[in-house]
Amino acid sequence: MVVVSTEEKMLNAKTNVETDRARELAIFAAIIDHGSFSKAGRVLNLSASAVSRTVDRTEARLGVRLLMRTTRSLSLTAEGQAYLQAARRILKDLDDSEQQIADQGSPRGRLRVSASLSHGRSHVVPLLPEFSALYPHILVDISLTDTITDISSGQADVAVRFGKLPDSNLTARKLGVVKRVVAASPDYLRRFGAPTRPEDLLSHNCLHFNFFRAESSWPFLVNGAVKWLPIKGSIEANNGETLGQLAMLGMGIVRLGEFLVGPNIQAGKLVPILQDFNPGDAEDVHAVFVGGSNTPARVRAFVDFLTQRLCSCME
C-alpha cells in the first residue's frame, strides 16, 4: 500500500485546482467561439451539461455572472467580457510558452523571411534547400522585395537588410559586406566614351534607384578625401537586377553591389570604370529580427544558419 504524505496531498490538490482553472478558461473561450454549450462540448469532447456545470462553478467561485443565458441565445456580461479577454490572453501565453519549449528540441512553424530581390535570388534562395533539409519542420515563407518590411509590426520574422540600420529595438546580426562598383557596358563606352574622372559622369546617363532612401549622389575618392557627386539619368528602377540589365543593354552607367555585377564583369558584359577613385564603398549586410529570450527557435536557427553560410562568401 502506497502512503501519500500530507504535503503531497496538498501539492496534488493545488495542481488539480490550477489544471481545472486552465480548463475552465478553455471551456469558456470555446463557448463564445462556437456560440453554444453543445457546440463547445462537441469540440472539447464534453457533454453540454458538463460545460454548463463548469460555467456554474466558475461563476460561483468568482461571485459574478459571466453569461446571460436564454433558451435561444448567450450574451456576455461586462464581467464576462473581461473574463473572456483574460482567458484568451492566458491561453495564448500558455500556447506560446509550450511552443517555445517544444522548439528547443525541434524548431518548427512558419518562418517569414524578407530579402531584397537581387541579393535574395543570388545568395539567400540558393541556401534554402540546405536549410530545409536541416530543419524539415520549419516552413519557410520568403518574400523578395526591395521595400522595407516592418518587422516590429509582424510583417516578417527575419529581414536581410543593406546599409546603415536606423535606431530601433530590433536585433541585428552582421552577415557580411557588399562592395559597390561603378560599371557600364562595352557598347555604351564605345558610343559615349569612358569617364576618366568622376566629374565626367555629369555628362553621362547614370541609372539609379527610385526608392525614397536611394542616394542621389555617388561617392568618389578625390585627393585623399571622399566627395559626393550628384548624378542624373533617364531611367530609375526599384531593384539592382533591373538596373544591371539596363546597363548591359547599353542604357547607361550604374553603381551596384559587386555580388550583382561581378559575374557580368567576368563575362565581359559590363566593364568597371573609375576604379582609381573607388573609395572602398561598401555596405554592411545584416539579418534583422526581434531578439530576446522569447525569440522562437526557428528564428534563431535561421539567423545562425545565414551567419555561418553568408559571412564566408560576402567578406
Side-chain angles (χ1 to χ4, degrees):
M1 177 173 140
V2 178
V3 178
V4 180
S5 68
T6 302
E7 183 180 356
E8 287 176 315
K9 288 179 180 178
M10 292 176 64
L11 179 60
N12 289 337
K14 182 180 179 181
T15 301
N16 290 335
V17 168
E18 291 174 347
T19 302
D20 287 346
R21 290 178 68 182
R23 188 165 180 78
E24 287 176 4
L25 295 171
I27 290 172
F28 189 77
I31 292 169
I32 305 306
D33 290 341
H34 299 285
S36 72
F37 286 12
S38 59
K39 290 181 181 178
R42 284 197 292 272
V43 171
L44 299 172
N45 198 26
L46 296 170
S47 66
S49 60
V51 172
S52 179
R53 287 195 301 272
T54 299
V55 174
D56 291 341
R57 186 167 61 248
T58 304
E59 290 180 330
R61 189 182 72 253
L62 297 175
V64 296
R65 183 174 292 279
L66 302 175
L67 290 170
M68 300 298 293
R69 289 170 268 183
T70 68
T71 55
R72 294 186 177 182
S73 66
L74 293 172
S75 61
L76 287 166
T77 65
E79 293 80 7
Q81 183 65 48
Y83 186 75
L84 176 64
Q85 292 176 355
R88 286 180 169 158
R89 184 182 68 251
I90 292 168
L91 292 170
K92 184 179 184 302
D93 287 344
L94 284 171
D95 287 342
D96 289 347
S97 296
E98 290 182 352
Q99 182 65 60
Q100 184 180 353
I101 293 170
D103 281 352
Q104 300 297 327
S106 177
R108 63 185 63 243
R110 181 181 293 270
L111 176 72
R112 295 163 303 164
V113 179
S114 175
S116 69
L117 238 134
S118 304
H119 186 262
R121 284 178 179 171
S122 63
H123 281 68
V124 180
V125 171
L127 295 175
L128 295 185
E130 181 185 0
F131 181 78
S132 292
L134 289 172
Y135 301 99
H137 300 298
I138 295 178
L139 189 161
V140 179
D141 178 352
I142 186 166
S143 297
L144 299 184
T145 174
D146 287 319
T147 301
I148 291 294
T149 301
D150 189 349
I151 300 174
S152 298
S153 67
Q155 292 181 359
D157 299 309
V158 182
V160 179
R161 290 184 176 169
F162 284 66
K164 184 178 180 181
L165 299 175
D167 291 335
S168 73
N169 294 325
L170 299 174
T171 299
R173 288 270 297 276
K174 187 175 178 180
L175 301 177
V177 175
V178 169
K179 296 179 181 179
R180 297 287 194 91
V181 178
V182 178
S185 71
D187 175 63
Y188 177 90
L189 297 176
R190 277 194 299 270
R191 287 185 291 128
F192 299 101
T196 58
R197 299 174 303 167
E199 54 266 32
D200 292 343
L201 293 179
L202 296 175
S203 61
H204 281 270
N205 196 33
C206 297
L207 314 176
H208 55 107
F209 294 98
N210 62 7
F211 37 77
F212 74 94
R213 66 186 189 281
E215 299 162 346
S216 59
S217 301
W218 292 352
F220 294 95
L221 188 65
V222 180
N223 296 325
V226 175
K227 295 186 178 180
W228 291 79
L229 183 77
I231 50 91
K232 59 182 180 178
S234 62
I235 299 180
E236 296 178 352
N238 69 346
N239 65 84
E241 283 190 339
T242 299
L243 293 177
Q245 184 178 3
L246 289 167
M248 287 188 290
L249 291 172
M251 286 299 302
I253 298 172
V254 292
R255 173 176 163 267
L256 295 171
E258 199 173 60
F259 75 90
L260 184 60
V261 297
N264 292 318
I265 289 175
Q266 293 178 2
K269 298 177 181 178
L270 290 174
V271 178
I273 58 177
L274 299 174
Q275 286 291 77
D276 291 341
F277 300 93
N278 191 321
D281 185 28
E283 285 186 313
D284 289 341
V285 184
H286 291 91
V288 183
F289 57 100
V290 177
S293 58
N294 292 325
T295 303
R298 60 185 178 275
V299 172
R300 293 195 303 272
F302 187 69
V303 172
D304 288 345
F305 176 82
L306 283 184
T307 302
Q308 293 170 2
R309 298 299 187 274
L310 288 182
C311 279
S312 60
C313 66
M314 291 182 60
E315 293 291 354

